[in-house]
Amino acid sequence: MAYESAHAGRGMVAAPHWLAVEAGRAVIAEGGNAVEAALATAAAIAVVYPHMNHLGGDGFWLIRSPNGQVRYIEACGPAGARATRALYREQGYDAVPARGPLAALTVPGQIGGWMLALEAAAALGGRLPLTRLLEPAIAHARNGAPVPASQTELTAEKQAGLDGVPGFAATFLVEGKPPAPGTIQRFPRVADTLEHLARAGLDDYYRGDVGREIAGDLERAGSPVTRADLQAFRAVLRAPLHVKLSGMELWGSPPPTQGLATLMILALFDRLGVTQAEGFEHLHGLIEATKRAFLVRDRVVTDFERLTHDPASFLTPEALAREAAAIDPKRAAPWPHKARPGDTIWLGAADASGIVVSYIQSIYWEFGSGLVLPSTGVLMQNRGSSFSLDPASPNPLEPGRRPFHTLNPAMAATADGRVVGFGTMGGEGQPQTNAAVMSRHLMFGQPLGTAIEAPRWVLGRTWGSETMSLRMEPRVDSGVVERMLRAGHEVELLDTPFSGVMGHAGAVVLHPRGGLEGGHDPRSDGGAAGV
């Protein structure tokens, strides 16, 4: 297949579901800016792609202004006041459970991020009301949207672990079974919630009627998140991580996300002197850079307020030179380490004024905790399952502490004047996919569609698979695979030529002479469209 990127002049939106793309594109067509388009896309995709994200998750924004300033919004909620290690130990747990009410132990931060993004949109000239931005999401929730094939497949795959979780079966199953692709699914409680927020304002999610209903349902279900936890939450603005490479500069999300890993992989690879894409040196170099970055990430990334190392210190020329020197250009370093699962959605938007948005929102695993709150229809994330019950861990469970996040939106500005917002879903694979796609596009000049479509790989275990090997799509050149094996990589070729395990990558590009470009993964149910 030949995957082509989309081109436009006024605005561009990319996302993993076409109905969400259309929601954002319509906002651009009505004169909205890229941030407003991203908000409409984010709300719509929470309805039409509910297995990957919902209203009970977290989110992270990178927003580039026309003057070149990049602002970062951290919208991840902390563990609830009752979420103590003692609570889980007393109930017989050696680890935080992945499903059910006790997995729903963190405040959903996503809507708080929408609040700050709405303020940013207005500061950048946006004038569309919240009622208009939420309109497509409300319509899809009320009138229904077709179930995507990936939802059917993942419902069947994960159903055993979700059976018995309050609200899951009634919301996402049809007569106890996964809905067939194309089945029209409606979420009337979600429509009611979004309509109320459109009238009352997003703050109501935490400190109004919606917040009261969420808190009441959480308490009745047995979640450790309280009304006071919701009332206290605020998304925050922080400085993004930043690093300069030979032909570009990059911005990423700071801890508690793994944004440091994406920036480190590309910066380390930049120092290896690889001159050709798709060969052994390209794949081996990125994979070995991934190992170095993950070892740093796992040692230092934790709640931003509890950092013991400055993440920017690992992006200095001296630190990067030391890490790059540790990479053997011919041999694979010993592996594995414990990988981190997770799924999510990335979306991007850009407009002709110079605004570029890279945004990720997530409920962590597919269907998150599985807990659907009856009064509001909110599906709660299970991000808190990444906490450890070991107090000596880098991320121990503590009330008020933010969990580790695999989410990491990214942005680049190139020497030739392009600005690129990019990202992917895929848990542990996110930094790897980001590096694969952007090395191809930005370092080796592959067209955006080609770079996204090209065969990919993921190192380490992802949720649903215990393998720790280097998994590759079978389209990787057989000669390269043979060289990887000889170099000591434990390679496993997948059966599927375009595997969802490799993430759903996307990007939007603002070109220096005014053109806009966008692409999203053929492995997903979406794409890109513009005006």
Side-chain angles (χ1 to χ4, degrees):
M1 62 190 298
Y3 179 67
E4 298 288 340
S5 59
H7 295 264
R10 285 174 50 193
M12 177 64 63
V13 177
H17 195 288
W18 276 107
L19 289 175
V21 172
E22 175 54 28
R25 190 208 63 80
V27 164
I28 294 286
E30 293 178 27
N33 65 28
V35 183
E36 291 173 314
L39 278 163
T41 305
I45 205 164
V47 173
V48 301
Y49 224 45
H51 54 307
M52 291 293 186
N53 71 135
H54 211 273
L55 301 183
D58 286 342
F60 300 90
W61 297 77
L62 287 173
I63 301 173
R64 190 256 193 190
S65 302
N67 65 5
Q69 178 189 8
V70 178
R71 72 186 77 186
Y72 166 66
I73 298 171
E74 176 195 279
C76 63
R82 297 173 182 163
T84 63
R85 294 190 295 276
L87 169 71
Y88 290 86
R89 296 293 191 193
E90 288 166 2
Q91 299 202 34
Y93 290 104
D94 294 325
V96 178
R99 301 296 200 183
L102 286 176
L105 66 123
T106 59
V107 174
Q110 178 177 304
I111 303 300
W114 290 7
M115 291 169 64
L116 292 186
L118 195 63
E119 293 177 9
L124 293 169
R127 295 293 181 266
L128 294 182
L130 178 63
T131 51
R132 170 62 189 88
L133 302 181
L134 298 185
E135 187 178 274
I138 294 169
H140 292 314
R142 182 78 65 202
N143 302 326
V147 171
S150 63
Q151 181 179 336
T152 300
E153 178 184 346
L154 288 166
T155 303
E157 185 178 332
K158 312 303 179 185
Q159 183 178 347
L162 290 159
D163 280 343
V165 178
F168 176 78
T171 305
F172 294 111
L173 302 182
V174 177
E175 297 180 351
K177 298 178 181 179
T183 302
I184 299 301
Q185 58 182 356
R186 297 176 176 86
F187 303 112
R189 295 287 74 75
V190 172
D192 293 341
T193 297
L194 289 172
E195 283 184 341
H196 183 88
L197 293 175
R199 294 191 304 268
L202 296 173
D203 190 69
D204 195 88
Y205 184 96
Y206 299 100
R207 286 163 283 276
D209 294 337
V210 171
R212 183 186 65 250
E213 296 293 341
I214 289 173
D217 284 345
L218 287 173
E219 182 176 9
R220 285 185 286 273
S223 163
V225 175
T226 68
R227 179 81 191 276
D229 294 326
L230 291 166
Q231 291 173 326
F233 176 75
R234 297 288 194 286
V236 297
L237 291 168
R238 300 197 193 278
L241 293 177
H242 177 252
V243 65
K244 289 187 177 181
L245 280 63
S246 56
M248 72 190 82
E249 52 186 323
L250 300 171
W251 291 266
S253 52
T257 82
Q258 62 175 340
L260 175 63
T262 288
L263 269 57
M264 280 190 70
I265 294 168
L266 284 165
L268 291 173
F269 181 75
D270 186 53
R271 283 160 170 76
L272 299 183
V274 178
T275 59
Q276 184 176 352
E278 310 309 333
F280 168 79
E281 291 79 8
H282 181 199
L283 274 64
H284 174 78
L286 284 176
I287 291 161
E288 294 306 297
T290 295
K291 295 175 182 178
R292 304 303 305 176
F294 280 4
L295 290 171
V296 171
R297 178 201 67 182
D298 292 349
R299 188 170 77 251
V300 307
V301 171
T302 188
D303 184 340
F304 189 90
E305 305 294 344
R306 294 168 168 83
L307 289 171
T308 57
H309 299 79
D310 178 5
S313 68
F314 297 95
L315 297 172
T316 63
E318 296 78 15
L320 291 168
R322 286 194 301 271
E323 291 292 340
I327 294 175
D328 188 326
K330 296 182 179 180
R331 293 295 303 173
W335 208 246
H337 79 129
K338 185 178 180 181
R340 301 175 186 268
D343 276 290
T344 175
I345 64 95
W346 174 91
L347 62 90
D351 64 39
S353 77
I355 302 171
V356 180
V357 177
S358 179
Y359 175 55
I360 286 186
Q361 64 186 27
S362 171
I363 48 175
Y364 199 28
W365 291 13
E366 292 97 336
F367 295 107
S369 67
L371 175 66
V372 181
L373 306 183
S375 301
T376 60
V378 170
L379 172 62
M380 291 290 291
Q381 66 184 349
N382 64 334
R383 182 62 59 176
S385 64
S386 66
F387 282 123
S388 172
L389 297 183
D390 179 359
S393 161
N395 289 284
L397 176 61
E398 297 170 352
R401 189 180 190 111
R402 298 174 183 87
F404 174 90
H405 267 274
T406 52
L407 313 186
N408 65 121
M411 194 167 292
T414 66
D416 63 9
R418 286 172 291 163
V419 179
V420 184
F422 62 96
T424 182
M425 58 78 87
E428 182 83 351
Q430 286 187 36
Q432 302 180 59
T433 293
N434 286 338
V437 174
M438 286 301 116
S439 65
R440 287 165 167 155
H441 182 55
L442 297 180
M443 295 177 175
F444 298 122
Q446 290 185 4
L448 181 60
T450 301
I452 292 173
E453 177 195 25
R456 295 206 293 264
W457 59 88
V458 63
L459 176 69
R461 182 178 65 82
T462 54
W463 184 45
S465 172
E466 294 303 314
T467 181
M468 300 295 286
S469 62
L470 174 63
R471 280 171 288 170
M472 291 183 165
E473 290 178 328
R475 296 177 294 128
V476 175
D477 180 83
S478 60
V480 173
V481 173
E482 180 60 33
R483 287 197 63 186
M484 299 292 286
L485 289 167
R486 291 203 305 268
H489 294 281
E490 184 182 339
V491 177
E492 176 187 345
L493 289 180
L494 300 180
D495 296 329
T496 307
F498 291 87
S499 172
V501 170
M502 303 301 162
H504 296 165
V508 290
V509 184
L510 173 66
H511 288 280
R513 296 179 182 174
L516 295 160
E517 186 179 3
H520 207 284
D521 215 312
R523 299 165 181 83
S524 74
D525 299 282
V531 179

